[in-house]
Amino acid sequence: MSHSIGVIISSVRQPRICPQIADFVVETIQTSSSGAAAGRSKPTLKKIDLANWTLPFTGEPGIPAHIKDPSEYSHDSTREWSKEISSHDAFIFVSPQYNWGYPAALKNAIDHLYNEWVGKPAMIVTYGGYGGNKCAAQLESVLNGLRMKPATGHVELPYPGREWAAAKAFKGADLELDAKSAGSLWAEHRPTIVAVFEEVVKLLAEPSGSSN
Ligand SMILES: Cc1cc2nc3c(=O)[nH]c(=O)nc-3n(C[C@H](O)[C@H](O)[C@H](O)COP(=O)(O)O)c2cc1C
């Protein structure tokens, strides 16, 4: 049976570039001719856009780690979110760096649940002026706190320069990313995307309970 990997689009602001970057990552993996990305039982990738989820900040009275069954959640929206996250075996978090961290919307979405995340492999893809390495470090720490299995490799996509950022990223403009063109922005990061994805696939094959 093939695994399902949820690709979390972590920016909910308008305008935003996050969906384009998630598409680039998914297409890079899906068009890769190497390893598990091309194998017969390759995992299914499903995008999960946080902008489509209403998860109120003060929504749940319980401690997520103490919830043993989704029926214990107080809100239908949390039960739906629990069902979504439970339906995937691993995750790719695609996130901008905001003030050296990751978006509040992502932390809120993570903190609504606990047991749904535990033990699942994760891949971190960040972007920003310097690739979002500070965001990646914070997110990795949180995922370890959730007893997830984050891949040791990260994908960090740096902006080509300040003028580019002002004209494109900050305005949510079309970045013209192309997962198949050698001339595309971030084409040189495609091997890293595939390599970190392969690490996630290997983590999926580990018996549950083993952790890095
Ligand atoms: C609240 C906020 C904080 C930001 N902080 C950073 C930062 O620390 N480093 C950086 O390189 N860019 C930073 N930026 C610029 C973002 O990289 C840029 O706005 C990008 O488009 C955000 O991704 P998004 O459009 O998908 O939301 C920040 C943007 C916002 C809105």
Side-chain angles (χ1 to χ4, degrees), residues 11 13 15-18 96-100 127-129 159 169-170:
S11 167
R13 78 183 189 103
R16 59 185 179 154
I17 56 173
C18 199
Q97 177 164 304
Y98 285 175
N99 298 318
W100 291 24
Y127 53 95
Y159 298 156
F170 302 170

Side-chain angles (χ1 to χ4, degrees), residues 74-86:
S74 296
H75 298 283
D76 286 343
S77 56
T78 314
R79 280 188 283 274
E80 284 300 311
W81 181 235
S82 166
K83 197 167 147 195
E84 178 71 52
I85 297 309
S86 295

